[in-house]
């Protein structure tokens, strides 16, 4: 987990979050029908509402080329940033999360674990 977007970007320069808040907010990400994904993983007990983003550039649209990147969860593009998967097909990760339609972060992790297992 990284305490801020800047800390995440320093550690992941090839899959950055956009520096500007507006550009972060328009990324194609998963938001569980705009309710957000409930944080039941970090142990903070906050139950915070999170968004899942696919970096760099958001989840690819159907007519866009696939990219390999990182899947993260954050408080709507603000820190802290939790890395969920690295070096994965963003299209496959998007599809796995979308198919699972999770409302809790633990379920997002499960969907991404199944993707990693399928690639092995």
């Amino acid at each position: 987990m990284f305490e801020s977007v800047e800390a995440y970007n320093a550690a992941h320069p090839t899959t950055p979050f956009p520096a500007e808040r507006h550009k972060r907010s328009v990324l194609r990400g998963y938001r569980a029908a705009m309710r957000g994904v409930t944080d039941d993983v970090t142990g903070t007990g906050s139950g915070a509402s999170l968004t899942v983003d696919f970096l760099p550039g958001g989840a690819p649209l159907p007519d866009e080329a696939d990219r390999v990147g990182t899947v993260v969860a954050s408080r709507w593009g603000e820190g802290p940033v939790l890395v969920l998967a690295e070096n994965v097909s963003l299209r496959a990760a998007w599809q796995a999360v979308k198919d699972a339609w999770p409302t809790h972060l633990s379920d997002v992790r499960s969907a991404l674990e199944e993707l990693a297992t399928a690639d092995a």
Side-chain angles (χ1 to χ4, degrees):
M1 183 176 322
F2 296 90
E3 290 302 315
S4 67
V5 169
E6 293 79 12
Y8 166 83
N9 284 347
H12 293 83
T14 61
T15 58
F17 244 128
E20 297 174 24
R21 285 183 182 167
H22 171 71
K23 289 184 179 180
R24 287 195 297 262
S25 69
V26 297
L27 289 174
R28 184 174 183 227
Y30 180 76
R31 294 165 178 83
M34 297 308 291
R35 292 182 313 230
V37 175
T38 301
D39 180 0
D40 63 340
V41 169
T42 62
T44 63
S46 69
S49 180
L50 305 174
T51 184
V52 177
D53 284 300
F54 302 78
L55 303 172
L61 293 167
D63 63 337
E64 292 179 328
D66 193 8
R67 296 181 299 282
V68 172
T70 303
V71 181
V72 300
S74 68
R75 291 186 179 134
W76 303 90
E78 301 297 325
V81 177
L82 178 64
V83 175
L84 302 172
E86 295 179 275
N87 298 316
V88 296
S89 157
L90 295 183
R91 182 175 314 286
W94 167 258
Q95 193 65 47
V97 171
K98 191 176 80 162
D99 287 351
W101 202 257
T103 57
H104 289 80
L105 194 54
S106 59
D107 297 328
V108 174
R109 278 190 157 173
S110 293
L112 293 171
E113 284 174 7
E114 291 175 18
L115 173 68
T117 303
D119 289 341

